Amino acid sequence: MQKSGKILVANWKMNPQTVGEAKDIFAPLKKTVVKFDNVNVIVCAPFVFINTLRRMDLAGRIPLGGQDVYFEEYGAFTGEISPTMLKSVGASYVIVGHSERRSLGETDALIALKAGAALKAELRTVLCVGEKERDTHGNYLAVLEDQIKASLQGVQKRFLSNLIVAYEPIWAIGKSAKDAMSPSNIRETAIFIRKILAKLHDSETAFKVPVLYGGSVAGANIGAILKEGEIEGVLVGHQSLMPSQMNEMIKVMNNV
Ligand code: PGA
């Protein structure tokens, strides 16, 4: 159940290395989350850990998600995971189109199929978009527009109530807090993203889609990013593996 507060999607990426370590990260997080009512923390863990984490939190205080999903329901697709499979182990969210998957060769067309299938299966779907670099002529805006349109190609409006867009400029990912995008640039880009969504459908639909920022979010910058960035939340990578950082970020978020 989505609460009214800000959203923090933890993207564990291909971490940690064992199920035991995954439990060690999740257990303190559970304790933190129950203390703060005004935050929505979601953990997108490697597929193989999802069921174990769900069993540690049967009440579902921390919704879980996958980091990718395939667009077919079942069949001869070795190594792939379907939306129904994800749901059956306790996931209610999924990330699609992360830049690290795009760099492995995923195209906008494939991502649109994945987003469509996930949304149809009623998974809350976090679509990641973001430019590789910011040029001084503003070409990155066109890049972003094309990426959003192509990654949502064929997705029907009625499914957009479960869509979340995560804006993650690639150049800001995996660094330290000072290298994140400035809150004012985040605000401007989020407005631009909403305009594109409004062009695709209508402004009422567009303004219901939460927009998140991702890229070197940490305890030191999350407050300014959420307040001045005027966004609904954040997608946090490497810092989300550290219980003390999560504790700090959640505490700040709760008061934004
Ligand atoms: P980061 O990663 O927080 O480590 O920059 C964000 C992401 O790639 O989702």
Side-chain angles (χ1 to χ4, degrees):
M1 192 54 200
Q2 176 96 21
K3 295 177 273 184
S4 60
K6 300 280 186 189
I7 302 168
L8 187 161
V9 178
N11 174 16
W12 284 7
K13 310 194 178 190
M14 199 173 77
N15 297 293
Q17 285 181 270
T18 65
V19 67
E21 289 169 86
K23 287 180 176 175
D24 290 344
I25 297 169
F26 196 72
L29 180 60
K30 240 182 83 178
K31 285 198 188 134
T32 300
V33 163
V34 295
K35 284 191 276 181
F36 298 102
D37 262 354
N38 200 30
V39 289
N40 296 284
V41 177
I42 296 111
V43 170
C44 291
F47 293 134
V48 292
F49 300 151
I50 292 173
N51 197 231
T52 304
L53 302 181
R54 178 45 65 240
R55 284 165 195 269
M56 287 174 74
D57 174 32
L58 289 172
R61 294 297 297 254
I62 303 178
L64 300 171
Q67 299 170 9
D68 185 27
V69 69
Y70 201 54
F71 61 89
E72 295 284 2
E73 264 308 302
Y74 58 87
F77 305 102
T78 303
E80 299 293 353
I81 304 280
S82 74
T84 305
M85 289 174 185
L86 264 182
K87 287 174 72 177
S88 78
V89 292
S92 48
Y93 281 70
V94 70
I95 295 173
V96 295
H98 192 278
S99 60
E100 286 151 15
R101 297 216 54 87
R102 291 178 186 264
S103 73
L104 291 173
E106 289 201 9
T107 60
D108 286 330
L110 176 61
I111 291 158
L113 290 173
K114 290 181 171 190
L119 288 165
K120 208 166 162 192
E122 293 179 351
L123 283 165
R124 292 216 77 187
T125 302
V126 183
L127 170 69
C128 296
V129 294
E131 75 281 359
K132 274 202 189 74
E133 54 191 9
R134 285 222 151 185
D135 55 290
T136 45
H137 307 295
N139 289 333
Y140 62 89
L141 292 173
V143 170
L144 210 50
E145 177 159 4
D146 288 349
Q147 212 179 39
I148 294 169
K149 285 184 178 160
S151 304
L152 288 173
Q153 179 81 39
V155 174
Q156 293 171 35
K157 179 177 149 182
R158 67 193 165 107
F159 294 126
L160 293 192
S161 54
N162 270 325
L163 180 72
I164 295 172
V165 172
Y167 169 58
E168 297 206 299
I170 297 173
W171 52 267
I173 291 178
K175 299 183 178 160
S176 62
K178 64 175 180 9
D179 301 308
M181 180 181 259
S182 71
S184 60
N185 280 343
I186 292 173
R187 189 180 61 239
E188 273 174 24
T189 315
I191 292 169
F192 180 74
I193 289 171
R194 288 187 211 287
K195 277 191 190 151
I196 299 166
L197 292 172
K199 257 203 256 174
L200 270 178
H201 294 284
D202 53 73
S203 35
E204 204 194 327
T205 311
F207 279 83
K208 282 188 191 140
V209 176
V211 176
L212 315 184
Y213 165 79
S216 301
V217 177
N221 61 11
I222 192 169
I225 285 175
L226 287 174
K227 260 183 253 160
E228 297 161 38
E230 293 175 21
I231 44 171
E232 280 73 38
V234 286
L235 182 52
V236 184
H238 66 286
Q239 298 285 337
S240 71
L241 296 160
M242 285 179 257
S244 59
Q245 273 295 316
M246 282 298 275
N247 192 52
E248 195 182 329
M249 286 188 278
I250 291 166
K251 231 193 299 184
V252 174
M253 275 178 85
N254 197 56
N255 297 318
V256 169

